[in-house]
Amino acid sequence: MAKAKLPKNLSKGCQLCYIGAKLVLFITGRCDRDCWYCPLSEERKDNDVIFANDAKITTPEEAIEQAEIMDALGTGVTGGEPLMELERVVEFCSALKNHFGKEHHIHLYTGRAPTQEDLAALCDVVDEIRMHPPHEEWSGIMTSPYLESIKNAKKMGFDVGIEVPSLQGLRNFFPLLDYVDFFNINQLEWGDSCAEEMRRRKLEPENPLCNAIKGSTKWAGEINGHPKVHYCTSTFKDSVQLRERLKRVARNSARPFDTITDDGTIMYGSMNPEGDLEMILSLMKAGSFYEEMEDGTIELDWVQMRKIPRKFGSDRKIIERYPNDGMIVEVTPQ
C-alpha cells in the first residue's frame, strides 16, 4: 500500500504525527473548562491520570519506555488541561528531552492562553504550542487574551498554532491567521461522553460506520483553503495516523512468531497442548518459537498451528490484537 503524500501545510508536530512517530502523552484529565464537545472517555475525563499512548503510567521513566517501544521521534502533550499540571509537564518533557535529545520534538495542547510565566516554564522543553480556544470565545478571539499569548510565544521562539474542532464560526479566526504559524481543524466526532450534548444539538454521525459528524466538513470550509489551514478528518486519524503508530510499536514489541498486519495489529495462534506439548513441538519447523502462558496454553505462529493435526491440542484460536499486549481486536476459533 502506497504511503499518503505529506501535505505541505503541516507543522513539524503534525508531520511526525502523520507518520505515527509521536508518543501521545496524556498528562492529566483535569480541566477547568466544560466543553460540550469534549470526547474524553469516563476513564480520563476530570480524573488526574497519566497515559502514554494507551498505557496508564505514573513516572517519566515509564513514558520514556513507551516512547522507546515505538521509536518515537517526538511527543504530543495533551489532556484535560495540561497547564493545570504545569510542573508535571515540565518534569516529563525534561526527562524525554534529556533521554532522546533536543531534537525530540514536543508539542503541547492547551485550552488556555498561556501567560508569560507559563511560557517561560515551557520554553526549554516544548517546541510547539497549540491553543484551542473554547467555542464560546471564537466570536471575540481578536480581543481575547489568546492574541497577546500568541505574540509572546512567538517572541520566545515557540512555533504557535491554533487547533480546534470543525464547528460553526470558524470564519472568526480569519484575522488571527496573520499571527500564527499554522491552523489545524479536527473533524468533529461523535463520542460516548458527549453523545447526549450532540443529540441535544441535533447532531448525528455521517453514517453508522464512522464517528464524523454530519455537516462538520462544511463548517470547516468557512476557513479551509487558506495556506496555513489543515483539515484533519476522522478517517485520516483512524486509517493513517493510528495505523502508522501501531506499526512502529509492533515492529519493536512483536514476538518472533507474531504476524504484523497491514493495520499495525499482531496475529498469533493460541492452543491448549493437553499434555502433548513435546509432540506438538516436534511437528513444528526447526527453530520455531512459542511461548508458554500461565494458564497452561501456548502461543505460537498461527499458520504453523493450523498445520498441526487436530488430534494434538485443543481450544485453538487465532488472536488479533493491538501490539505490546494491547486490546484484543478479534478471536477466531479454529
Side-chain angles (χ1 to χ4, degrees), residues 133-164:
H135 190 223
E136 63 269 18
E137 298 194 32
W138 291 9
S139 60
I141 196 66
M142 294 305 291
T143 56
S144 74
Y146 291 94
L147 179 58
E148 189 64 25
S149 182
I150 289 168
K151 291 178 180 178
N152 289 334
K154 289 289 294 176
K155 288 178 184 176
M156 296 175 72
F158 292 97
D159 290 328
V160 187
I162 296 290
E163 183 155 335
V164 290

Short mmCIF file of all heavy atoms in Angstrom, two decimals, residues 133-164:
data_model
loop_
_atom_site.label_atom_id
_atom_site.label_comp_id
_atom_site.label_asym_id
_atom_site.label_seq_id
_atom_site.Cartn_x
_atom_site.Cartn_y
_atom_site.Cartn_z
N PRO A 133 -8.93 27.56 21.72
CA PRO A 133 -9.92 28.38 22.43
C PRO A 133 -11.29 27.71 22.41
O PRO A 133 -11.71 27.17 21.38
CB PRO A 133 -9.95 29.68 21.62
CG PRO A 133 -8.65 29.69 20.86
CD PRO A 133 -8.34 28.27 20.58
N PRO A 134 -12.02 27.73 23.52
CA PRO A 134 -13.36 27.15 23.57
C PRO A 134 -14.29 27.84 22.57
O PRO A 134 -14.11 29.02 22.25
CB PRO A 134 -13.81 27.41 25.00
CG PRO A 134 -12.55 27.58 25.77
CD PRO A 134 -11.59 28.23 24.83
N HIS A 135 -15.26 27.12 22.09
CA HIS A 135 -16.16 27.61 21.04
C HIS A 135 -16.82 28.94 21.41
O HIS A 135 -16.97 29.82 20.55
CB HIS A 135 -17.23 26.54 20.77
CG HIS A 135 -18.06 26.81 19.56
ND1 HIS A 135 -19.43 26.65 19.53
CD2 HIS A 135 -17.73 27.28 18.33
CE1 HIS A 135 -19.89 26.97 18.34
NE2 HIS A 135 -18.89 27.35 17.59
N GLU A 136 -17.17 29.09 22.67
CA GLU A 136 -17.89 30.31 23.06
C GLU A 136 -17.01 31.56 22.98
O GLU A 136 -17.51 32.69 23.05
CB GLU A 136 -18.45 30.16 24.48
CG GLU A 136 -17.43 29.99 25.59
CD GLU A 136 -17.10 28.53 25.88
OE1 GLU A 136 -17.40 27.66 25.02
OE2 GLU A 136 -16.54 28.24 26.95
N GLU A 137 -15.70 31.39 22.82
CA GLU A 137 -14.79 32.55 22.74
C GLU A 137 -14.39 32.89 21.31
O GLU A 137 -13.66 33.86 21.09
CB GLU A 137 -13.54 32.29 23.59
CG GLU A 137 -13.86 32.12 25.09
CD GLU A 137 -12.62 32.20 25.96
OE1 GLU A 137 -11.70 32.94 25.58
OE2 GLU A 137 -12.60 31.55 27.01
N TRP A 138 -14.85 32.13 20.34
CA TRP A 138 -14.41 32.35 18.97
C TRP A 138 -14.82 33.72 18.42
O TRP A 138 -14.06 34.38 17.72
CB TRP A 138 -14.95 31.26 18.05
CG TRP A 138 -14.35 29.90 18.27
CD1 TRP A 138 -13.51 29.53 19.30
CD2 TRP A 138 -14.54 28.74 17.48
NE1 TRP A 138 -13.18 28.21 19.19
CE2 TRP A 138 -13.80 27.69 18.08
CE3 TRP A 138 -15.28 28.47 16.32
CZ2 TRP A 138 -13.78 26.40 17.55
CZ3 TRP A 138 -15.25 27.18 15.79
CH2 TRP A 138 -14.50 26.17 16.40
N SER A 139 -16.04 34.14 18.74
CA SER A 139 -16.54 35.38 18.15
C SER A 139 -15.74 36.60 18.59
O SER A 139 -15.69 37.61 17.89
CB SER A 139 -18.03 35.58 18.50
OG SER A 139 -18.20 35.65 19.91
N GLY A 140 -15.09 36.53 19.74
CA GLY A 140 -14.29 37.66 20.23
C GLY A 140 -12.81 37.34 20.28
O GLY A 140 -12.07 37.93 21.10
N ILE A 141 -12.36 36.47 19.41
CA ILE A 141 -10.99 35.96 19.51
C ILE A 141 -9.94 37.06 19.38
O ILE A 141 -8.88 37.01 20.03
CB ILE A 141 -10.76 34.85 18.46
CG1 ILE A 141 -9.50 34.05 18.80
CG2 ILE A 141 -10.70 35.40 17.04
CD1 ILE A 141 -9.56 33.25 20.07
N MET A 142 -10.19 38.10 18.58
CA MET A 142 -9.17 39.12 18.35
C MET A 142 -9.04 40.09 19.53
O MET A 142 -8.07 40.86 19.60
CB MET A 142 -9.46 39.89 17.06
CG MET A 142 -9.33 39.04 15.81
SD MET A 142 -7.72 38.20 15.65
CE MET A 142 -6.64 39.59 15.35
N THR A 143 -9.97 40.09 20.44
CA THR A 143 -9.87 40.93 21.64
C THR A 143 -9.67 40.07 22.88
O THR A 143 -9.75 40.57 24.00
CB THR A 143 -11.13 41.79 21.80
OG1 THR A 143 -12.29 40.95 21.84
CG2 THR A 143 -11.26 42.78 20.64
N SER A 144 -9.41 38.79 22.68
CA SER A 144 -9.22 37.85 23.79
C SER A 144 -7.75 37.79 24.19
O SER A 144 -6.88 38.29 23.47
CB SER A 144 -9.69 36.46 23.38
OG SER A 144 -8.75 35.88 22.47
N PRO A 145 -7.43 37.15 25.32
CA PRO A 145 -6.02 37.00 25.72
C PRO A 145 -5.20 36.12 24.78
O PRO A 145 -3.97 36.13 24.86
CB PRO A 145 -6.13 36.34 27.11
CG PRO A 145 -7.52 36.64 27.59
CD PRO A 145 -8.36 36.67 26.36
N TYR A 146 -5.85 35.38 23.89
CA TYR A 146 -5.12 34.47 23.01
C TYR A 146 -4.17 35.21 22.07
O TYR A 146 -3.05 34.76 21.81
CB TYR A 146 -6.09 33.59 22.21
CG TYR A 146 -6.81 32.59 23.09
CD1 TYR A 146 -8.06 32.88 23.63
CD2 TYR A 146 -6.22 31.36 23.39
CE1 TYR A 146 -8.71 31.97 24.45
CE2 TYR A 146 -6.86 30.44 24.22
CZ TYR A 146 -8.11 30.76 24.75
OH TYR A 146 -8.75 29.86 25.56
N LEU A 147 -4.61 36.36 21.55
CA LEU A 147 -3.77 37.10 20.62
C LEU A 147 -2.45 37.53 21.27
O LEU A 147 -1.37 37.36 20.70
CB LEU A 147 -4.52 38.32 20.07
CG LEU A 147 -3.73 39.20 19.10
CD1 LEU A 147 -3.25 38.39 17.90
CD2 LEU A 147 -4.59 40.38 18.65
N GLU A 148 -2.54 38.07 22.47
CA GLU A 148 -1.33 38.51 23.18
C GLU A 148 -0.45 37.32 23.52
O GLU A 148 0.79 37.38 23.43
CB GLU A 148 -1.72 39.25 24.46
CG GLU A 148 -0.55 39.93 25.17
CD GLU A 148 0.08 41.05 24.35
OE1 GLU A 148 -0.62 41.63 23.47
OE2 GLU A 148 1.27 41.34 24.57
N SER A 149 -1.08 36.20 23.89
CA SER A 149 -0.32 34.99 24.22
C SER A 149 0.42 34.46 23.00
O SER A 149 1.58 34.04 23.10
CB SER A 149 -1.26 33.92 24.78
OG SER A 149 -0.56 32.76 25.16
N ILE A 150 -0.23 34.50 21.85
CA ILE A 150 0.41 34.06 20.61
C ILE A 150 1.62 34.93 20.30
O ILE A 150 2.71 34.43 19.97
CB ILE A 150 -0.60 34.10 19.44
CG1 ILE A 150 -1.65 33.00 19.61
CG2 ILE A 150 0.10 33.99 18.09
CD1 ILE A 150 -2.85 33.14 18.70
N LYS A 151 1.48 36.25 20.43
CA LYS A 151 2.59 37.16 20.17
C LYS A 151 3.75 36.89 21.12
O LYS A 151 4.92 36.86 20.70
CB LYS A 151 2.12 38.61 20.32
CG LYS A 151 1.14 39.07 19.25
CD LYS A 151 0.69 40.50 19.52
CE LYS A 151 -0.29 41.01 18.48
NZ LYS A 151 -0.75 42.39 18.78
N ASN A 152 3.45 36.70 22.40
CA ASN A 152 4.50 36.43 23.38
C ASN A 152 5.22 35.12 23.07
O ASN A 152 6.45 35.03 23.16
CB ASN A 152 3.91 36.38 24.79
CG ASN A 152 3.48 37.75 25.28
OD1 ASN A 152 4.00 38.77 24.85
ND2 ASN A 152 2.52 37.78 26.20
N ALA A 153 4.45 34.09 22.73
CA ALA A 153 5.04 32.79 22.45
C ALA A 153 5.96 32.85 21.23
O ALA A 153 7.03 32.25 21.20
CB ALA A 153 3.93 31.75 22.23
N LYS A 154 5.54 33.61 20.21
CA LYS A 154 6.37 33.75 19.02
C LYS A 154 7.69 34.44 19.37
O LYS A 154 8.76 34.05 18.90
CB LYS A 154 5.62 34.56 17.96
CG LYS A 154 4.45 33.83 17.32
CD LYS A 154 4.93 32.72 16.40
CE LYS A 154 5.66 33.28 15.20
NZ LYS A 154 6.20 32.18 14.35
N LYS A 155 7.62 35.49 20.19
CA LYS A 155 8.83 36.21 20.59
C LYS A 155 9.79 35.31 21.35
O LYS A 155 11.01 35.49 21.29
CB LYS A 155 8.44 37.41 21.46
CG LYS A 155 7.78 38.55 20.71
CD LYS A 155 7.38 39.66 21.67
CE LYS A 155 6.64 40.78 20.96
NZ LYS A 155 6.16 41.82 21.92
N MET A 156 9.23 34.32 22.08
CA MET A 156 10.06 33.45 22.90
C MET A 156 10.57 32.24 22.12
O MET A 156 11.24 31.37 22.68
CB MET A 156 9.28 33.01 24.13
CG MET A 156 8.93 34.16 25.05
SD MET A 156 7.87 33.70 26.46
CE MET A 156 9.02 32.79 27.45
N GLY A 157 10.23 32.16 20.83
CA GLY A 157 10.80 31.12 19.99
C GLY A 157 9.95 29.90 19.74
O GLY A 157 10.40 28.95 19.09
N PHE A 158 8.73 29.87 20.26
CA PHE A 158 7.85 28.74 20.02
C PHE A 158 7.28 28.79 18.60
O PHE A 158 7.03 29.89 18.07
CB PHE A 158 6.66 28.73 20.99
CG PHE A 158 7.02 28.48 22.42
CD1 PHE A 158 7.18 29.54 23.31
CD2 PHE A 158 7.16 27.18 22.91
CE1 PHE A 158 7.48 29.33 24.64
CE2 PHE A 158 7.46 26.95 24.24
CZ PHE A 158 7.63 28.02 25.11
N ASP A 159 7.01 27.64 18.01
CA ASP A 159 6.09 27.57 16.88
C ASP A 159 4.69 27.58 17.50
O ASP A 159 4.44 26.87 18.48
CB ASP A 159 6.29 26.29 16.09
CG ASP A 159 7.60 26.29 15.31
OD1 ASP A 159 8.03 27.37 14.89
OD2 ASP A 159 8.19 25.21 15.15
N VAL A 160 3.80 28.39 16.94
CA VAL A 160 2.49 28.59 17.57
C VAL A 160 1.37 28.39 16.57
O VAL A 160 1.43 28.88 15.43
CB VAL A 160 2.37 30.01 18.18
CG1 VAL A 160 1.07 30.13 18.98
CG2 VAL A 160 3.56 30.32 19.06
N GLY A 161 0.36 27.66 17.00
CA GLY A 161 -0.79 27.46 16.14
C GLY A 161 -2.08 27.35 16.93
O GLY A 161 -2.07 27.34 18.17
N ILE A 162 -3.17 27.28 16.19
CA ILE A 162 -4.48 27.06 16.76
C ILE A 162 -4.95 25.68 16.31
O ILE A 162 -4.73 25.29 15.16
CB ILE A 162 -5.50 28.13 16.29
CG1 ILE A 162 -5.09 29.52 16.79
CG2 ILE A 162 -6.92 27.79 16.74
CD1 ILE A 162 -5.24 29.73 18.28
N GLU A 163 -5.59 24.94 17.19
CA GLU A 163 -6.18 23.66 16.82
C GLU A 163 -7.55 23.55 17.46
O GLU A 163 -7.68 23.57 18.69
CB GLU A 163 -5.29 22.49 17.26
CG GLU A 163 -5.83 21.15 16.82
CD GLU A 163 -4.76 20.09 16.68
OE1 GLU A 163 -3.58 20.42 16.47
OE2 GLU A 163 -5.11 18.91 16.78
N VAL A 164 -8.58 23.47 16.63
CA VAL A 164 -9.96 23.48 17.10
C VAL A 164 -10.78 22.46 16.31
O VAL A 164 -10.40 22.07 15.21
CB VAL A 164 -10.60 24.88 16.95
CG1 VAL A 164 -9.98 25.87 17.92
CG2 VAL A 164 -10.47 25.38 15.52
#
